[in-house]
Amino acid sequence: MITTQTIDKSLPKKEIYQLLLEQITSITSDEEDLVANLSNICSILKYEMNWFWVGFYHVKQNELVLGTFQGPVACTRIKKGKGVCGIAWEKNETVVVPNVDLFEGHIACSSSTKSEIVLPLRNNKNECTGVLDIDSEYLSTFDKEDKVGLELIVNYINQLF
Ligand code: SME
C-alpha cells in the first residue's frame, strides 16, 4: 500500500524539500520502471506543493519532447534556446522566472502560469538530457531556497535513468 503524507507548508522550505525527497525516495526505490517513477514524482510535487503544472521534457533528436506530467495539456516540442525550458537546456543550468511576462521568449502553454522554474536533468557526463519544468499560478513562487531544494531532488531523479 502506497501512502503519502501532507506536508505542513508552514515548515521552513529546507525541511519541506527534505520531506518531499523522502516521499519521492520511498515511492520510487522499489520500482525500476522509469515512466512509473517519473509519473509518481510529478504527482507528489504537484499535489503536495499545489503547483499548477509539473512535468518532464526529454532531449530527443535535438529537441525537448514532452514526457510525464501532471497538469493541463502542454506544448509537445521545444527547440534548444527557446522558451525557459530551451534556455535551461542550452545553458545546462536552472532558470528561475519570477514573472513569465517579463521573460523574453517565454512559451505560454497556459495563460494561468505566472512564474516558473526549470531545472536540467543530467547524465553521468554532466550533459543535459532533459528538464523538470514547474509552473505556478502566482508571481515569484520560486526563490533560491526552492532552487536548492529542487536541485537536490533532481540529483536523485538523475539516478533513476
Ligand atoms: N513555459 C515553458 C514551456 C513549457 S510549459 O510551461 C509546460 C517554456 O517557456 O519553456
Side-chain angles (χ1 to χ4, degrees), residues 34 38 42 53-80 82-89 106-110 113 116-122 127-135 154 157-158 161:
L34 183 63
L38 297 183
C42 289
W53 194 93
V54 177
F56 294 96
Y57 283 88
H58 304 285
V59 176
K60 292 181 184 174
Q61 292 158 345
N62 213 34
E63 278 185 314
L64 284 172
V65 181
L66 182 64
T68 310
F69 69 95
Q70 290 272 338
V73 291
C75 48
T76 52
R77 290 173 188 268
I78 299 173
K79 296 205 182 302
K80 199 178 226 177
K82 299 293 177 192
V84 187
C85 293
I87 287 174
W89 172 25
H106 169 256
I107 299 166
C109 294
S110 165
T113 296
E116 68 179 87
I117 183 168
V118 179
L119 303 105
L121 305 174
R122 298 188 180 104
E127 297 159 335
C128 179
T129 55
V131 298
L132 170 61
D133 178 5
I134 303 177
D135 298 353
V154 165
I157 294 171
N158 286 334
F161 283 79

Side-chain angles (χ1 to χ4, degrees), residues 22-123:
E22 281 171 20
Q23 277 196 31
I24 286 169
T25 305
S26 138
I27 224 155
T28 56
S29 53
D30 289 334
E31 175 54 61
E32 62 182 24
D33 187 89
L34 183 63
V35 173
N37 284 333
L38 297 183
S39 300
N40 271 334
I41 290 168
C42 289
S43 180
I44 287 172
L45 292 176
K46 175 161 174 38
Y47 290 100
E48 281 290 4
M49 301 306 287
N50 210 19
W51 288 323
F52 180 70
W53 194 93
V54 177
F56 294 96
Y57 283 88
H58 304 285
V59 176
K60 292 181 184 174
Q61 292 158 345
N62 213 34
E63 278 185 314
L64 284 172
V65 181
L66 182 64
T68 310
F69 69 95
Q70 290 272 338
V73 291
C75 48
T76 52
R77 290 173 188 268
I78 299 173
K79 296 205 182 302
K80 199 178 226 177
K82 299 293 177 192
V84 187
C85 293
I87 287 174
W89 172 25
E90 186 171 56
K91 292 186 168 174
N92 196 5
E93 64 186 39
T94 300
V95 180
V96 179
V97 180
N99 181 348
V100 297
D101 290 338
L102 302 179
F103 189 94
E104 197 181 342
H106 169 256
I107 299 166
C109 294
S110 165
S111 58
S112 296
T113 296
K114 298 288 184 275
S115 62
E116 68 179 87
I117 183 168
V118 179
L119 303 105
L121 305 174
R122 298 188 180 104
N123 61 18

Side-chain angles (χ1 to χ4, degrees), residues 137-152:
E137 291 174 278
Y138 305 99
L139 290 168
S140 304
T141 296
F142 308 101
D143 60 17
K144 280 183 186 162
E145 283 186 291
D146 297 285
K147 177 176 181 283
V148 169
L150 285 165
E151 283 177 348
L152 287 174

